[in-house]
């Protein structure tokens, strides 16, 4: 949530900063701004709306001055104060000496603001961030300490979460960066440094990066970098090599990242399992959890914590873990779990799932279970992000960067890794015999091909979407493995097309949602031929009896449902466990086409952000 970018070196900062903001726009797009060092002043340009609005605004300015080689920039997801020019970052201190960009929330900003107002400071915005720039300015004025020391002293007063980058008019060759609870990465070039909320703006310039840890700050001054704690202890930063490829950050001919990412799934699923299993030998090998294997194998109960789509992947995993590995599993929203006083036993196995690895609630829930002494395993996509760094062990999903705000390929990659974790447990507990394990792995190996085949339904799904583009509500129903899919399908539609959609277990429909069914209500059924097929068909008949319009996701060649449903989309035959991998595809495509036909901003849906770093 909110993206920050910075540059200090010998190149012009503006093009690097604006391109960086475009890469980080998935983190928020309420407003954007930039601060550039200019001899004797800090120039600030900021604008409500997307990064393109800022670009246009600067381009059309007759007195623009964008030639500096040092600068910071920001794309905002509003928390304190509505989206507006004045609330956009960077925030200049009252005297114009200090400029700050910030991702996070300063919880005690009101009390700091009160003190500063008493000292005569005037505030222009409604944001929590503006207190940081004024506080730093005040410390510099009143104590005469250096700029970087003033930042450090200010941070000792601040309560909350932040990643900040700060400029000072009087130190034109310096940027100070600090982190607590929100991510920040520093790219190291040749006599130049790149700062960003994640590595995507950095990769085209350098693959050498440092991830700051919580309570650390970096001072880049006269081409030298010093990392220390907010407590003033010098640290030896660990320089990592980025594995990301620049093409992964481009749309590659697709109109939207979301569609590109939907189509990438045959490959991303393959990448998630590559080198981790062999159907021929019936084995699963997950290097990332080997050192904690005993904890993993001795689990009496699994607790899965996540938010959003990752939570839906967790709910599918509950069905895997209970049905195949016979391990009791509970799945919790991290945001609820963190404020309860949950009971954790020493032999509980906690798994946190997060695409971004930065979701604030998931991170907080993780820290809570760690405090309670549990071992925590992560299933994350973004390498080096906060969650995998805080877990004891884990498995990366390797789906590649996911840029569309609505999660697609990360979901199926999470399913892949979670199923592999489950099969690792199955192997150990022998809850399936070797032949059964080999068969399941064989089927999993065939999934990328089946997903490829399922993608051929795109045109048909688009035609269905045409019929429903003006509808106001949808119901999504499924049972067993189809139930989390119903939730996920409904979430996708809500997120990007702004149509209200409700996901429900198909049998629960008669306890409420059936009252909504009439000839104007489309009901999407996940109705593959599996263990609960007949039950789902009965639920479908109940909808038809009330004149509801049925759109069914069916197993290839199911002539029976074709006679009942108004519309159908076929998916290849596969075992129940693997249905979510293929059935996700038409659900994602339906949401995509509905949104596209309604003219919605698919990759940047209103009010949402991809990485939710505030609670
Ligand atoms: C946001 C995103 C969703 C995502 C959720 C959890 O709401 O828009 O796509 O599922 O956060 O994110 P995580 O990165 O923890 O999986």
């Amino acid at each position: 949530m909110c993206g920050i970018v910075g540059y200090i070196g010998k190149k012009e900062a503006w093009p690097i900063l604006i391109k960086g903001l475009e890469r980080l726009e998935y983190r928020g797009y309420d407003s954007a701004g930039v601060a550039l060092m200019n001899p004797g002043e800090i120039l600030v340009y900021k604008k409500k709306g997307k990064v393109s609005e800022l670009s246009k605004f600067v381009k059309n300015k007759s007195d623009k001055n964008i030639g500096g080689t040092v600068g910071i920039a920001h794309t905002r997801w509003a928390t304190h104060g509505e989206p507006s020019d004045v609330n956009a970052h960077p925030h200049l201190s009252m005297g114009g000496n200090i400029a700050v960009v910030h991702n996070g929330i300063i919880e005690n900003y009101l009390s700091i603001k009160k003190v500063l107002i008493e000292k005569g400071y005037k505030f222009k915005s409604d944001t929590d961030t503006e207190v940081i720039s004024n506080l730093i300015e005040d410390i510099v004025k009143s104590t005469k300490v250096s700029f970087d020391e003033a930042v450090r002293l200010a941070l000792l007063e601040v309560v909350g979460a932040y990643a900040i980058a700060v400029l000072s008019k009087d130190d034109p060759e310096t940027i100070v960066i600090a982190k607590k609870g929100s991510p920040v990465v520093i790219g190291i070039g040749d006599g130049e440094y790149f700062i960003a909320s994640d590595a995507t703006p950095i990769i085209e310039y350098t693959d050498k990066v440092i991830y700051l840890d919580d309570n650390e700050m970096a001072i880049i001054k006269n081409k030298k970098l010093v990392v220390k704690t907010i407590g003033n202890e010098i640290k030896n930063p660990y320089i990592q090599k980025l594995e990301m490829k620049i093409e992964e950050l481009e749309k590659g001919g697709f109109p939207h990242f979301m569609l590109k990412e939907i189509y990438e799934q045959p490959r991303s699923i393959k990448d998630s399992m590559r080198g981790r299993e062999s159907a021929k030998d019936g084995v699963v090998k997950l290097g990332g959890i080997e050192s904690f294997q005993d904890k993993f194998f001795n689990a009496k109960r699994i607790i899965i914590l996540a938010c959003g789509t990752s939570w839906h992947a967790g709910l599918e995993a509950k069905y895997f873990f209970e049905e195949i590995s016979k391990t009791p599993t509970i799945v919790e929203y991290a945001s609820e779990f963190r404020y309860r006083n949950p009971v954790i036993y020493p032999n509980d196995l906690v798994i946190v799932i997060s695409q971004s690895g930065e979701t604030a609630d998931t991170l907080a829930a993780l820290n809570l279970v760690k405090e309670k002494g549990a071992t925590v395993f992560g299933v994350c996509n973004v390498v080096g992000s906060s969650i995998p760094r805080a877990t004891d062990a884990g498995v990366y999903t390797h789906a590649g960067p996911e840029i569309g705000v609505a999660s697609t390929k990360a979901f199926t990659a999470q399913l892949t890794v979670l199923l592999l974790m489950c099969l690792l447990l199955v192997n150990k507990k022998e809850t399936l015999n070797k032949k059964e394990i080999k068969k399941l792995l064989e089927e999993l190996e065939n999934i990328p091909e089946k997903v490829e085949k399922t993608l051929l339904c795109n045109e048909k799904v688009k035609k269905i979407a045409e019929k429903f583009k003006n509808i106001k509500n949808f119901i999504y129903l499924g049972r067993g493995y189809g139930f989390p899919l119903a939730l996920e399908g409904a979430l996708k539609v809500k997120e990007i097309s702004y149509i209200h959609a409700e996901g429900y277990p198909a049998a629960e429909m008669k306890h409420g949602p059936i009252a909504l069914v009439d000839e104007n209500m489309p009901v999407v059924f996940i109705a593959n031929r599996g263990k609960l097929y007949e039950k789902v068909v009965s639920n479908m008949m109940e909808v038809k009896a009330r004149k509801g319009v049925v759109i069914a996701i069916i197993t290839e060649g199911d002539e029976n449902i074709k006679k009942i449903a108004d519309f159908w989309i076929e998916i290849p035959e596969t075992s129940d466990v693997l249905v979510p991998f293929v059935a996700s595809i038409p659900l994602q495509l339906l949401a995509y086409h509905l949104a596209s036909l309604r003219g919605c901003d698919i990759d940047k849906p209103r009010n949402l952000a991809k990485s939710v770093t505030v609670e």
Side-chain angles (χ1 to χ4, degrees):
M1 222 142 237
C2 298
I4 63 173
V5 197
Y7 176 75
I8 180 162
K10 43 197 181 223
K11 299 193 185 89
E12 266 191 25
W14 164 259
I16 296 170
L17 295 174
I18 201 79
K19 197 158 181 201
L21 288 186
E22 280 161 12
R23 291 242 193 269
L24 291 184
E25 210 172 5
Y26 72 85
R27 302 179 70 88
Y29 27 85
D30 289 331
S31 62
V34 58
L36 295 161
M37 275 320 301
N38 208 32
E41 64 176 337
I42 303 174
L43 281 176
V44 173
Y45 302 114
K46 42 195 206 173
K47 207 71 203 137
K48 178 181 166 183
K50 303 210 166 105
V51 173
S52 55
E53 295 299 319
L54 173 70
S55 278
K56 254 190 265 159
F57 170 69
V58 172
K59 215 161 137 200
N60 294 336
K61 264 184 91 63
S62 51
D63 60 340
K64 65 172 176 277
N65 182 353
I66 49 170
T69 60
V70 179
I72 55 177
H74 187 269
T75 180
R76 178 170 188 243
W77 188 86
T79 59
H80 293 62
E82 59 167 16
S84 66
D85 291 356
V86 80
N87 286 333
H89 299 216
H91 287 285
L92 267 182
S93 58
M94 191 178 80
N97 298 313
I98 303 290
V100 174
V101 289
H102 168 217
N103 165 206
I105 290 180
I106 304 304
E107 286 164 15
N108 62 340
Y109 82 104
L110 282 174
S111 58
I112 298 176
K113 193 168 178 176
K114 186 165 174 274
V115 174
L116 289 167
I117 288 173
E118 278 161 13
K119 288 185 173 183
Y121 280 85
K122 296 215 163 34
F123 286 79
K124 294 189 250 349
S125 77
D126 307 316
T127 66
D128 50 336
T129 305
E130 201 182 353
V131 302
I132 309 178
S133 46
N134 280 325
L135 182 60
I136 297 169
E137 180 168 287
D138 186 57
I139 295 173
V140 171
K141 262 205 230 150
S142 56
T143 63
K144 305 278 181 254
V145 294
S146 63
F147 161 49
D148 52 276
E149 180 60 3
V151 176
R152 193 182 74 77
L153 295 175
L155 293 178
L156 291 175
E157 289 188 38
V158 154
V159 176
Y162 54 78
I164 55 166
V166 194
L167 295 182
S168 157
K169 188 182 79 181
D170 299 325
D171 289 78
E173 291 298 319
T174 307
I175 296 187
V176 180
I177 306 119
K179 168 189 164 25
K180 185 182 175 193
S182 299
V184 64
V185 193
I186 302 168
I188 305 170
D190 180 13
E192 57 185 353
Y193 295 89
F194 305 84
I195 298 120
S197 296
D198 72 30
T200 56
I202 296 177
I203 185 67
E204 60 195 277
Y205 308 105
T206 176
D207 61 358
K208 279 192 273 163
V209 294
I210 293 169
Y211 289 90
L212 283 192
D213 274 329
D214 275 352
N215 295 309
E216 281 185 356
M217 61 191 289
I219 301 143
I220 307 172
K221 194 174 191 163
N222 302 327
K223 302 197 173 62
K224 290 211 175 62
L225 168 81
V226 174
V227 176
K228 56 160 109 169
T229 64
I230 309 290
N232 218 7
E233 184 197 332
I234 298 289
K235 301 289 275 192
N236 202 1
Y238 170 59
I239 301 174
Q240 295 191 32
K241 191 170 178 326
L242 288 175
E243 302 294 344
M244 199 182 281
K245 292 190 203 78
I246 192 75
E247 312 84 71
E248 293 175 332
L249 307 175
E250 312 285 348
K251 283 192 202 135
F254 284 90
H256 298 98
F257 279 109
M258 182 181 178
L259 193 61
K260 176 186 174 229
E261 287 155 8
I262 292 174
Y263 272 86
E264 275 174 352
Q265 289 174 102
R267 186 204 43 78
S268 53
I269 294 172
K270 233 185 246 167
D271 288 347
S272 307
M273 63 174 118
R274 177 164 297 124
R276 291 172 164 170
E277 56 76 46
S278 156
K280 189 166 61 68
D281 305 321
V283 293
V284 173
K285 193 170 159 42
L286 297 172
I289 56 177
E290 252 164 19
S291 46
F292 282 85
Q293 208 137 296
D294 286 348
K295 285 267 179 199
F296 188 76
F297 290 145
N298 293 332
K300 291 274 174 292
R301 178 176 73 153
I302 296 173
I303 301 175
I304 298 179
L305 305 172
C307 300
T309 290
S310 297
W311 186 83
H312 294 153
L315 201 56
E316 288 291 7
K318 172 185 166 73
Y319 287 78
F320 303 156
F321 279 116
E322 295 202 327
E323 185 173 350
I324 327 178
S325 78
K326 309 286 175 224
T327 317
T329 303
I330 57 171
V331 188
E332 298 250 11
Y333 286 114
S335 53
E336 285 298 310
F337 184 87
R338 63 181 288 197
Y339 289 115
R340 287 199 282 108
N341 196 3
V343 180
I344 312 273
Y345 298 113
N347 48 16
D348 278 340
L349 161 65
V350 179
I351 302 177
V352 293
I353 310 171
S354 174
Q355 186 286 129
S356 62
E358 298 295 347
T359 302
D361 284 318
T362 311
L363 192 55
L366 184 175
N367 289 331
L368 175 75
V369 283
K370 280 188 80 175
E371 269 165 35
K372 288 179 179 272
T375 309
V376 190
F377 293 79
V379 174
C380 295
N381 194 39
V382 178
V383 177
S385 53
S386 302
I387 292 175
R389 288 187 304 137
T391 47
D392 296 292
V395 187
Y396 280 116
T397 47
H398 293 317
E402 190 182 64
I403 308 213
V405 166
S407 189
T408 52
K409 64 172 179 172
F411 177 68
T412 45
Q414 288 163 346
L415 295 180
T416 311
V417 165
L418 289 159
L419 183 58
L420 289 177
M421 286 172 102
C422 175
L423 289 173
L424 188 67
L425 210 51
V426 168
N427 248 334
K428 179 76 183 173
K429 292 171 81 173
E430 297 180 350
T431 49
L432 292 181
N433 63 39
K434 207 70 191 172
K435 211 167 139 211
E436 290 167 318
I437 295 173
K438 282 184 179 178
K439 185 170 173 292
L440 250 179
L441 284 172
E442 227 164 73
E443 278 205 68
L444 180 62
E445 287 180 0
N446 289 333
I447 282 294
E449 208 176 298
K450 289 189 178 172
V451 168
E452 190 90 60
K453 195 169 171 202
T454 313
L455 283 163
L456 298 175
C457 71
N458 183 45
E459 279 308 312
K460 180 161 194 192
V461 176
K462 191 173 172 191
K463 286 203 180 99
I464 297 175
E466 288 273 3
K467 308 246 181 245
F468 295 99
K469 65 180 183 212
N470 295 321
I471 213 85
K472 296 227 164 4
N473 298 288
F474 266 101
I475 296 177
Y476 280 68
L477 299 175
R479 299 185 78 157
Y481 291 101
F483 163 51
L485 275 184
L487 297 179
E488 176 59 9
L491 177 65
K492 287 288 89 84
V493 168
K494 279 182 274 206
E495 280 180 306
I496 58 165
S497 72
Y498 318 140
I499 298 174
H500 170 247
E502 237 184 288
Y504 240 76
E508 276 293 301
M509 171 189 68
K510 54 189 171 294
H511 300 292
I514 200 162
L516 301 168
V517 175
D518 62 14
E519 63 278 14
N520 297 316
M521 178 62 88
V523 186
V524 179
F525 274 93
I526 291 93
N528 59 294
R529 226 188 275 114
K531 201 165 88 183
L532 296 167
Y533 176 75
E534 275 81 18
K535 309 274 174 205
V536 175
V537 172
S538 302
N539 299 139
M540 203 180 282
M541 297 305 284
E542 287 156 13
V543 169
K544 283 308 304 170
R546 283 151 189 93
K547 299 195 168 45
V549 186
V550 169
I551 304 166
I553 314 251
I554 59 170
T555 307
E556 218 168 18
D558 182 345
E559 300 306 321
N560 177 33
I561 295 192
K562 285 185 188 173
K563 288 188 202 113
I564 307 168
D566 299 271
F567 303 92
W568 66 85
I569 304 154
E570 289 171 287
I571 54 170
E573 174 109 53
T574 189
S575 336
D576 277 7
V577 181
L578 293 156
V579 163
F581 292 81
V582 280
S584 313
I585 306 295
L587 297 175
Q588 295 166 353
L589 287 171
L590 182 59
Y592 174 82
H593 288 300
L594 285 168
S596 165
L597 292 163
R598 287 161 68 88
C600 301
D601 192 344
I602 293 177
D603 286 333
K604 299 184 196 95
R606 70 181 179 211
N607 303 339
L608 298 179
K610 182 137 196 83
S611 179
V612 182
T613 55
V614 296
E615 61 167 292

